[in-house]
Amino acid sequence: MSEITDFDSLRRAMAENGEQPEGPARNARAEQLLVEAERLDIPLAVIEALGHQLKVYNYSSEKAKMFVPFARLLRMWDERPGDFDEYETHSLHWVFKWMSAGMLDQPHVPLASVEKWLAEMEHRYRLAGHSTRAVRSAEFTVAAHVGDVERAERAFSAWLAADRDTMADCHACELHGQGWWQAERGRDAEALALWAPVLEGEYTCAHEPHTVLASSLVPLLRLGRPEEARAHHLRGFRLVRSMESMRGAYADHVEFCALTGNEARGLELLAERPAYFTDEGHPHSKLEFLSVVALLMGRLSELGLAGQRVPGPTGREWTALELAEHARVEALALAARFDERNGTSYVSERARARMDRQPLVERLPLGVRAARPASAVAATGAAAPAPVQEAVEPELAVLLAEARRLSDTLQPHAVEAWARVARLAEEVDGVELEARDRAEIADHEAIGLGPDGAAAFEHAAELYARAGDPGEALAARSRAAYVRALTGEIDEALAAVAEPYDRVLALYAEGDTEVPQAAGVLMGRARILMRRVHEAEGEVVDEAVLAEAEAAVRELLALVEGRAGTDVRLAARVAEGHAMLAELATHSGNPEAGAELFARAAAEFIATGLPWFAVEYEARLAGLAHQLGDMRQAERALRAALEHGGPYLEAVGRAQLHLQLAEVVGGRGEAEEAAEHALEAAHWADEAGAGPTLGAWARHQLGGFLVRQGRWAEAAEVLESALAELTAETHGDGAVVQTQWWLGDCLSELGEHRDAAERRLQAAEIARHWPEQHDHATLAHLAAESLGQAGLPTEADQAYARAGELWRGLGNVHGLVRSLRARAWLALRTEDGTDTARDLMTSAVEECADAFDAADDDEARLRLVSELGHTHRQFGDLLARSAAEDADDDSIRATLEEALSQMAEAVAVFVALGEGTVHARTGAELAAGWLETDLGRPAAAAARARAVLRAYADAEADADPDAYGGSDEDGEHGTVRARRAEAEQLLQAAEEQKGR
């Protein structure tokens, strides 16, 4: 910490403190600096130190401390206004606004005092000649706070009608306040329209768009625009996360989580800010925070999680129920203090309304990891309660009929329907089910048991036999054999199915069983043989195995094709048989036939009225189409699978389909739709409990698609979330590196250069071990850029040097030259670094020349010549900037001559390259022209200006109207206009120089 010895060192110390994070440490330093200022015995030093104190208090949780330094400043102004310079005079009047709002947020300050200060502010503004705009804005805030709607509307209108002057809040803050009032009055669309310039980045400040993003969340949800709300949450929370003074905006984000089914993320937000529960410096934001805590805890209690442990005030453990009660009591007590001061009940009414809000969206996926809270039963591990018996039980016959209808038509939930029949039969005294009924109950119980259902199927077979249906008994035995195959006992399963197979064929031949029963046995045997094929997945399958399986499938199809009629079960056998043939074709090396057969099977299931059975085969079709390069077919199949699966798809299956569709859609450049599918994939993976595996991969993909759209803040949140679970072991180190890379790009775009450098260096360290080093070199280069932008020139130079060596090893001259140029510019920023900078630029020129001599490809030579031109141009710029202002005239002139020589070389190179480099040539020509004026050569400067004007003389009359970008001011047309304007300016400067 530097010692304060004079006014300049005090100012430097205050500037350094102003750059520190908000909080008590920064405030304490400001207090210490005031003591140091008083020791200097300079009135303006004390005034500036008091103003610094005011600022850091205002942007912290200790806002209540503002009043003392302000009162002292005001007294000093009244006694000796001459001690204030122009800036501090402006600042004193500016912070009057902070005082009126600050007093309003402190319930111990009487309302009469607030009104008195409002009048004092108006009086002093009038004396100083300021507009009443800021005064009316402050009056509006007072009226809105106490619930005086009529006065608030009058003040609001007067605020907007008054002229803007230097005392008015910045555009961004004013628009926030105006939009807040519209939303408060239920005019959400008007609010969003007012906020648009802030949200789009037209107006910004230290706290905007932070607060606008937070305030927009609920209005967007109410307007039915949840996707925008999600984007604003991800973008806005990133902005407020580290700002201690923004407890109110932070509360808006917690509220958003509570209203969108993201209770788990809400808990994570609370855990990040334990001090927000207890900080007393700003009671109004504490009221807002506690209100949404009560809302969130209420939601958890409604979900059956009242007993879940949650983050709360330090010193004890909290359950959701306990914290809900505590937060509600504390919030209402604070609200009551405000209402007692205001003489209204308005603040309490608003607090209650906020605490009792109902969700606006049942579940809004955010893309960041946060598992949905489990039900109370799952959380405690308690047994599920028995269903409440209805007052009048349905007739058993009705339940039987419904269960049989569902099973005969292969509808979902048939297993559950038969289970209900079984429960009712046990509960009702004197009921004896028929053997057939008990057989079907056992059969469906076995289906529900999956691979563990062999014994239940055998029991069903016995019951079918007792019921006089030997064919169905054999079918049940074949199902028992198949589930054994599912556990890997394929040979045993084949042995077990042999007898039922022989017997059912004999029965069918004798007319003692029907097609459905015989088909059931043949299907069981075919499925077992297909399991043997599956066991060889990824390996070459023995042709005999394939042939035996295919024969079994064709035998099944020979039995059932043409005989299905209206029998859904037989039609399903036909479709499944074709799907089996599709698998066999694929295993035989004929994916085209496989794709055709999968498409046929899916179509048959759909035609039969069983679209949910088509999903598996549509997914398989998509995979084959992808393999065959038919992306349109793959996309159609995936969309169909999602549509046909409907509510019957399991969460993990839905996640996989959305993820595959994201990759396909993203592959054809539709990043926005791809992001939507990746978002859905992440959500369903979390729902399935696969967040750390499939979910992390989906978040990785989602982040990449957001990056492609330039949605940097959203992408950063998602990618950081993905990195918490991505691992090289599960997802591959390539995925980890790519995620770090994307995140580094995001952080760089957001101006977080130090963090961007860290991410890029981490990725480079992994890529360092890869056989191919291009990614390593690129990441090292990008990390160097970030280090330089973060103000770490030494570290940046080291990283550029590392990248340069990697580029050299790869034979990439362009990368090497650019790293040398970057190092040269860094060297110029250091003391006595001019000679080093020159040497590095000279090396860059030499590397280009050497590579040109060694190149044996015309295109490569052209690229190297272009690189040489840019290097000469940058060398000239660097030399021009290196001309020290305190050097003697001859030294400066010699440096400028050298710079001009490099610029002339650049112009010559670009001229040789032709029209393709016209903009590079004119840029260098203009730079050379300005150097000519610096050297006192107006004629030469004018000649260069005219050369630029000639280069663009026919631009607008070009035969191709789009040749220079059409009307795109940011494209080539804009460049042409800018260059022409600069050339005219140079020409005028040269003419004026001639006349002197």
Side-chain angles (χ1 to χ4, degrees):
M1 193 175 292
S2 57
E3 185 181 354
I4 307 302
T5 57
D6 53 29
F7 201 174
D8 286 341
S9 60
L10 173 70
R11 282 174 166 163
R12 283 196 300 271
M14 289 190 295
E16 290 171 4
N17 193 46
E19 296 298 318
Q20 298 304 306
E22 296 176 354
R26 187 170 74 156
N27 295 353
R29 176 62 174 155
E31 292 161 5
Q32 182 183 356
L33 289 173
L34 176 59
V35 174
E36 298 285 352
E38 290 167 337
R39 290 175 183 158
L40 296 176
D41 197 26
I42 301 173
L44 185 58
V46 175
I47 290 167
E48 289 188 14
L50 286 167
H52 177 64
Q53 237 188 36
L54 263 172
K55 183 175 181 180
V56 300
Y57 285 155
N58 184 60
Y59 294 113
S60 78
S61 62
E62 298 181 302
K63 293 178 186 284
K65 290 185 174 182
M66 289 191 302
F67 305 120
V68 172
F70 178 72
R72 184 176 173 187
L73 272 173
L74 198 58
R75 184 171 64 251
M76 293 174 72
W77 167 263
D78 289 338
E79 293 173 356
R80 296 172 60 90
D83 289 342
F84 289 70
D85 63 12
E86 183 179 356
Y87 179 82
E88 293 304 327
T89 299
H90 176 275
S91 296
L92 176 69
H93 287 81
W94 180 270
V95 295
F96 256 103
K97 300 181 293 184
W98 293 357
M99 291 307 107
S100 60
M103 291 177 178
L104 198 64
D105 291 335
Q106 304 290 333
H108 69 276
V109 178
L111 192 60
S113 297
V114 177
E115 296 284 7
K116 176 185 173 184
W117 274 102
L118 187 60
E120 181 76 9
M121 176 184 175
E122 183 167 14
H123 170 68
R124 289 182 182 264
Y125 272 37
R126 188 182 301 113
L127 288 178
H130 295 307
S131 166
T132 61
R133 188 177 182 92
V135 178
R136 299 285 77 84
S137 173
E139 181 188 4
F140 158 76
T141 303
V142 173
H145 172 76
V146 301
D148 188 342
V149 176
E150 186 177 340
R151 182 188 180 192
E153 292 283 17
R154 286 199 309 272
F156 186 85
S157 298
W159 168 21
L160 269 60
D163 293 334
R164 278 188 59 84
D165 66 354
T166 57
M167 283 298 112
D169 282 340
C170 74
H171 281 289
C173 288
E174 281 208 330
L175 288 172
H176 174 248
Q178 292 162 17
W180 173 85
W181 181 242
Q182 298 294 351
E184 191 71 12
R185 302 302 298 155
R187 300 186 285 262
D188 291 331
E190 290 86 342
L192 268 298
L194 281 166
W195 287 331
V198 183
L199 294 170
E200 293 164 6
E202 184 178 348
Y203 301 121
T204 61
C205 70
H207 278 186
E208 294 299 350
H210 314 42
T211 55
V212 164
L213 286 163
S215 297
S216 70
L217 297 172
V218 170
L220 283 169
L221 292 173
R222 288 194 298 234
L223 288 170
R225 293 155 64 177
E227 292 79 12
E228 291 175 69
R230 174 180 55 239
H232 287 198
H233 168 66
L234 293 176
R235 178 182 164 202
F237 181 69
R238 187 171 192 84
L239 293 173
V240 304
R241 171 182 270 150
S242 62
M243 301 182 73
E244 186 204 37
S245 64
M246 304 204 71
R247 179 163 55 181
Y250 201 98
D252 291 339
H253 287 281
V254 176
E255 177 183 44
F256 167 82
C257 293
L259 298 179
T260 57
N262 287 287
E263 296 84 6
R265 179 166 170 84
L267 293 177
E268 291 177 3
L269 268 56
L270 295 187
E272 286 190 31
R273 281 291 185 182
Y276 277 171
F277 287 97
T278 53
D279 281 345
E280 301 290 346
H282 192 236
H284 194 261
S285 69
K286 183 180 181 182
L287 166 60
E288 292 174 328
F289 183 75
L290 290 174
S291 296
V292 301
V293 169
L295 168 66
L296 177 60
M297 296 306 122
R299 286 290 307 135
L300 289 171
S301 297
E302 289 174 19
L303 290 170
L305 293 164
Q308 178 169 317
R309 296 294 178 191
V310 295
T314 56
R316 57 161 288 187
E317 290 188 342
W318 296 88
T319 65
L321 180 60
E322 291 167 344
L323 187 56
E325 294 171 349
H326 169 81
R328 179 174 284 270
V329 168
E330 289 283 308
L332 290 176
L334 263 176
R337 288 175 58 199
F338 280 105
D339 284 340
E340 183 180 3
R341 189 270 303 272
N342 300 339
T344 69
S345 59
Y346 184 69
V347 176
S348 294
E349 290 168 2
R350 289 185 76 250
R352 285 193 180 90
R354 193 171 198 183
M355 289 187 282
D356 295 337
R357 272 183 174 157
Q358 293 301 303
L360 295 169
V361 179
E362 181 181 354
R363 177 66 163 154
L364 179 61
L366 301 179
V368 293
R369 64 190 183 102
R372 192 171 192 177
S375 67
V377 170
T380 61
V388 178
Q389 193 170 16
E390 298 175 15
V392 179
E393 289 287 358
E395 289 285 339
L396 184 58
V398 173
L399 288 181
L400 269 170
E402 176 61 10
R404 189 159 286 125
R405 182 190 70 81
L406 292 175
S407 57
D408 286 349
T409 56
L410 300 180
Q411 299 296 305
H413 309 307
V415 170
E416 293 84 349
W418 282 105
R420 191 178 177 195
V421 170
R423 284 197 303 273
L424 183 58
E426 290 177 1
E427 292 168 2
V428 178
D429 293 334
V431 171
E432 183 65 32
L433 291 172
E434 299 289 336
R436 176 73 188 200
D437 300 333
R438 287 185 284 118
E440 291 192 66
I441 289 173
D443 208 355
H444 286 83
E445 179 188 353
I447 294 171
L449 291 172
D452 298 323
F457 276 128
E458 292 287 359
H459 178 55
E462 294 173 6
L463 292 170
Y464 279 126
R466 290 182 203 169
D469 192 340
E472 199 60 55
L474 294 170
R477 286 181 59 191
S478 73
R479 290 191 282 274
Y482 173 61
V483 296
R484 292 186 67 182
L486 292 177
T487 64
E489 300 177 10
I490 297 176
D491 291 338
E492 293 84 348
L494 281 172
V497 82
E499 184 196 352
Y501 171 71
D502 291 336
R503 285 187 59 195
V504 83
L505 290 179
L507 284 173
Y508 181 67
E510 295 166 4
D512 291 332
T513 193
E514 302 294 329
V515 171
Q517 289 74 28
V521 176
L522 267 59
M523 177 58 80
R525 181 170 177 270
R527 285 172 175 170
I528 294 169
L529 290 168
M530 287 300 298
R531 286 304 302 175
R532 192 158 63 176
V533 174
H534 296 154
E535 288 292 309
E537 194 74 50
E539 302 174 8
V540 177
V541 184
D542 186 277
E543 288 188 9
V545 171
L546 290 171
E548 188 176 7
E550 182 176 350
V553 174
R554 294 198 180 281
E555 183 180 20
L556 166 70
L557 290 172
L559 175 67
V560 295
E561 277 188 309
R563 294 186 174 88
T566 60
D567 191 325
V568 171
R569 291 173 300 175
L570 287 180
R573 301 290 192 209
V574 173
E576 187 176 350
H578 289 137
M580 288 176 173
L581 290 179
E583 291 187 63
L584 292 168
T586 305
H587 278 286
S588 299
N590 190 350
E592 293 85 355
E596 184 179 337
L597 284 163
F598 275 131
R600 178 178 178 179
E604 287 169 339
F605 274 121
I606 293 164
T608 305
L610 305 172
W612 47 88
F613 284 117
V615 173
E616 177 185 350
Y617 307 116
E618 286 164 335
R620 295 290 301 275
L621 171 60
L624 281 178
H626 198 292
Q627 176 185 329
L628 294 168
D630 188 348
M631 294 298 105
R632 290 187 177 181
Q633 172 73 302
E635 184 177 339
R636 285 195 298 269
L638 289 167
R639 291 187 188 280
L642 282 168
E643 177 189 350
H644 295 143
Y648 310 116
L649 266 177
E650 292 185 1
V652 69
R654 191 178 296 275
Q656 290 167 337
L657 289 171
H658 274 296
L659 189 53
Q660 291 174 58
L661 190 52
E663 292 172 355
V664 171
V665 172
R668 60 177 171 81
E670 298 293 335
E672 187 172 349
E673 185 186 351
E676 293 172 5
H677 288 295
L679 177 68
E680 288 293 323
H683 163 63
W684 288 109
D686 288 342
E687 291 288 302
T693 51
L694 184 60
W697 181 257
R699 277 180 268 280
H700 158 81
Q701 295 280 49
L702 172 59
F705 292 128
L706 292 172
V707 165
R708 281 165 60 177
Q709 297 174 68
R711 293 159 66 176
W712 309 111
E714 297 169 62
E717 283 291 304
V718 170
L719 292 168
E720 286 176 344
S721 181
L723 277 172
E725 293 174 329
L726 279 173
T727 64
E729 295 75 20
T730 302
H731 305 93
D733 55 6
V736 177
V737 166
Q738 183 63 78
T739 304
Q740 296 274 26
W741 194 329
W742 281 331
L743 182 53
D745 292 347
C746 293
L747 296 172
S748 179
E749 293 287 342
L750 295 169
E752 300 173 32
H753 299 299
R754 190 181 291 260
D755 290 340
E758 181 181 351
R759 295 299 186 179
R760 287 167 167 173
L761 287 170
Q762 289 170 351
E765 180 59 25
I766 298 173
R768 182 170 69 88
H769 303 285
W770 293 355
E772 209 291 314
Q773 288 289 284
H774 186 274
D775 285 343
H776 181 201
T778 304
L779 286 162
H781 201 113
L782 290 170
E785 287 182 7
S786 295
L787 289 165
Q789 291 169 317
L792 300 168
T794 302
E795 293 84 347
D797 182 72
Q798 292 170 352
Y800 274 125
R802 176 188 178 191
E805 288 307 309
L806 289 167
W807 291 128
R808 187 186 298 279
L810 289 165
N812 188 320
V813 179
H814 301 278
L816 172 59
V817 167
R818 289 167 191 176
S819 67
L820 288 167
R821 294 197 308 236
R823 292 182 67 198
W825 285 107
L826 284 170
L828 193 64
R829 289 158 53 183
T830 63
E831 249 183 88
D832 304 323
T834 304
D835 290 342
T836 302
R838 284 169 175 265
D839 291 343
L840 286 163
M841 277 294 185
T842 301
S843 295
V845 171
E846 292 171 350
E847 291 289 351
C848 284
D850 291 346
F852 180 84
D853 292 340
D856 56 3
D857 176 79
D858 289 343
E859 185 178 345
R861 287 196 187 95
L862 283 174
R863 290 184 63 222
L864 285 165
V865 171
S866 178
E867 198 72 73
L868 178 62
H870 289 293
T871 304
H872 280 304
R873 166 66 199 270
Q874 288 200 33
F875 202 167
D877 285 335
L878 181 141
L879 289 167
R881 293 191 195 184
S882 72
E885 292 181 4
D886 56 355
D888 60 79
D889 289 347
D890 288 343
S891 175
I892 292 175
R893 187 172 187 84
T895 302
L896 293 180
E897 289 280 11
E898 191 178 356
L900 180 58
S901 174
Q902 290 292 337
M903 287 297 180
E905 290 281 359
V907 172
V909 169
F910 290 132
V911 167
L913 287 171
E915 289 303 311
T917 58
V918 62
H919 297 323
R921 172 166 64 87
T922 56
E925 193 87 73
L926 288 168
W930 290 113
L931 286 169
E932 301 277 20
T933 62
D934 291 339
L935 290 166
R937 300 169 185 165
R944 291 190 181 279
R946 292 189 185 98
V948 172
L949 292 172
R950 282 197 304 274
Y952 294 124
D954 300 324
E956 290 184 356
D958 195 284
D960 180 0
D962 297 322
Y964 288 92
S967 61
D968 180 9
E969 294 299 314
D970 295 325
E972 289 208 14
H973 187 61
T975 301
V976 170
R977 293 185 59 176
R979 293 286 162 79
R980 280 177 165 174
E982 188 179 352
E984 295 285 2
Q985 188 181 9
L986 175 60
L987 192 59
Q988 183 179 352
E991 294 299 329
E992 291 173 356
Q993 194 176 51
K994 280 182 187 177
R996 288 201 291 270

